[in-house]
Amino acid sequence: FDWRLAGAEPWTPGQDLAYLISKSEQRKQAYTDSAASATSMTAGVKSYNDAINVDWQGKQVEPIARPLQRQGYSIGVVTSVPISHATPAAAYANNVTRDDYQDLTRDLLGLPSVAHPDEPLPGVDVLLGTGWGAESMIDAAQGENFVPGNKYLAKADREQVDWQHGGKYEVIERTAGVRGATALAEAAQAAKQNQRRLFGFFGVSGPAGSAASHLPFRTADGGFNPAPGVSSKTDPDVDPRTGAYLEANVSENPTLADMATAALDVLATNPKGFWLMIEAGDVDWANHDDNVDNSIGAVCSGDDAFRAVTQWAEKNGCWDETVVIVTADHGHLLVLDEPEAIAAAGRGSPASGAR
């Protein structure tokens, strides 16, 4: 990354605009990834790919949530993808690599980390997302500090933050036979009543071998029966006969809108106010897979979460002191091999061959 060509801040264009779209004749550069773009969004600096809240020199920078926290505001992070993926991590944490998932989670939860070993960050007040069920015994990308087990949350860290073990968080995670939306709402109520923080950990398993985890992919028809994308890999939690998620995988997870509402209810107990980031992150995953069905469904889930936010603001009569910003940390490409096939399907003609 060359800050002279790209500019050091989002508002400084630098010397070569073509550099920003990988078309520079002076130096080759990849398109900006989620970590660098999220860092620009939350910390106001341009940086190199794969790093979380560091500048072009590798020096740590603060995202806006942290000075707000010092001023007394509560901080919340909500996502439909793993809790320490690039965008939720960039809302609060620091690390030279976005792949150091467990350590990024430690920053989010206020535990000692590689980036903050002696003086841990205070941690966010609400952290809701996925990663549940993503087990891995080896993860070279996370380095020597990786603890075998859940890829995003070490077992000892989960226990340490739980109020039942002396921690600060009301902890709720996906549980067999328990409706996710109900369990999350009850945990949020308990957090409010007992003046605790809230940590929710949910998800379904991703494609075999990926150690991924996310909320069930919603689809364009409003259901949870995703069509295959270019990877041709489906989640093991999807019924191969119908293409739909097994019922438990839908019922045992809240929706992004459920998470947004729970976060708002807990954060609003602070009379000073709060800063909250809500991410419909699965739209990125869908576009990587050229899966228009999942992409449209993810937009619908994000729209539902946005509606939950506006309805909450209406209900609480707080528009005069509320700012809602809808944006993306980066754009994306979605390639359709045969767009005419989709158009034909819209007219009632066969759409075989479309993806």
Side-chain angles (χ1 to χ4, degrees):
F1 178 81
D2 191 327
W3 67 272
R4 293 164 298 182
L5 297 179
E9 299 87 19
W11 51 89
T12 54
Q15 303 169 7
D16 186 0
L17 289 176
Y19 180 82
L20 298 174
I21 57 172
S22 301
K23 294 184 178 180
S24 173
E25 295 182 0
Q26 301 181 58
R27 180 173 297 183
K28 297 295 182 183
Q29 163 72 2
Y31 278 104
T32 303
D33 81 333
S34 299
S37 55
T39 293
S40 292
M41 180 176 70
T42 61
V45 300
K46 294 180 183 178
S47 188
Y48 54 87
N49 285 355
D50 290 333
I52 300 292
N53 288 328
V54 300
D55 66 13
W56 60 275
Q57 296 176 299
K59 180 181 177 181
Q60 290 184 17
V61 293
E62 275 198 326
I64 190 172
R66 301 226 298 265
L68 288 175
Q69 188 174 46
R70 287 196 296 273
Q71 294 173 34
Y73 292 87
S74 293
I75 303 299
V77 177
V78 173
T79 179
S80 60
V81 297
I83 51 176
S84 50
H85 257 230
T87 303
Y92 193 79
N94 297 99
N95 204 293
V96 294
T97 171
R98 61 180 290 181
D99 297 326
D100 202 0
Y101 296 121
Q102 290 182 348
D103 225 51
L104 288 163
T105 298
R106 293 182 184 108
D107 273 356
L108 287 160
L109 294 176
L111 299 173
S113 68
V114 167
H116 304 280
D118 301 320
E119 295 185 24
L121 297 177
V124 301
D125 298 278
V126 173
L127 178 60
L128 303 176
T130 72
W132 183 93
E135 303 298 314
S136 182
M137 296 307 296
I138 300 175
D139 193 337
Q142 297 203 45
E144 296 179 358
N145 61 324
F146 174 69
V147 179
N150 186 277
K151 184 173 183 175
Y152 305 99
L153 177 67
K155 181 179 179 181
D157 295 338
R158 186 250 184 257
E159 293 179 351
Q160 185 174 347
V161 301
D162 194 324
W163 72 271
Q164 298 184 68
H165 296 93
K168 300 178 180 179
Y169 290 85
E170 185 80 32
V171 178
I172 182 67
E173 60 183 320
R174 180 179 171 179
T175 303
V178 177
R179 290 193 62 81
T182 302
L184 178 59
E186 291 174 350
Q189 185 63 27
K192 289 170 56 179
Q193 290 178 346
N194 296 288
Q195 296 183 315
R196 298 186 189 116
R197 294 177 169 185
L198 177 63
F199 173 40
F201 199 44
F202 297 92
V204 299
S205 299
S210 69
S213 175
H214 48 80
L215 291 185
F217 287 141
R218 185 176 175 182
T219 42
D221 61 1
F224 295 90
N225 50 340
V230 296
S231 68
S232 299
K233 294 179 179 179
T234 57
D235 295 350
D237 293 328
V238 172
D239 188 333
R241 298 168 299 174
T242 64
Y245 281 96
L246 303 176
E247 194 278 332
N249 293 302
V250 176
S251 66
E252 291 172 8
N253 283 291
T255 65
L256 187 64
D258 294 330
M259 289 180 171
T261 300
L264 289 165
D265 286 344
V266 173
L267 294 170
T269 59
N270 182 353
K272 174 73 174 181
F274 59 85
W275 182 92
L276 170 63
M277 192 284 295
I278 302 171
E279 180 200 26
D282 44 349
V283 68
D284 181 71
W285 294 23
N287 289 349
H288 274 297
D289 199 26
D290 276 353
N291 192 317
V292 68
D293 192 20
N294 286 353
S295 185
I296 293 172
V299 171
C300 292
S301 293
D303 187 56
D304 284 349
F306 172 77
R307 185 176 295 107
V309 170
T310 57
Q311 289 176 344
W312 185 92
E314 290 283 349
K315 177 182 177 181
N316 289 277
C318 56
W319 276 120
D320 288 344
E321 51 192 3
T322 300
V323 176
V324 179
I325 300 172
V326 182
T327 187
D329 52 14
H330 66 89
H332 218 305
L333 297 174
L334 187 145
V335 179
L336 299 177
D337 287 345
E338 299 179 45
E340 68 278 8
I342 293 178
R347 295 191 297 267
S349 303
S352 60
R355 67 168 174 86

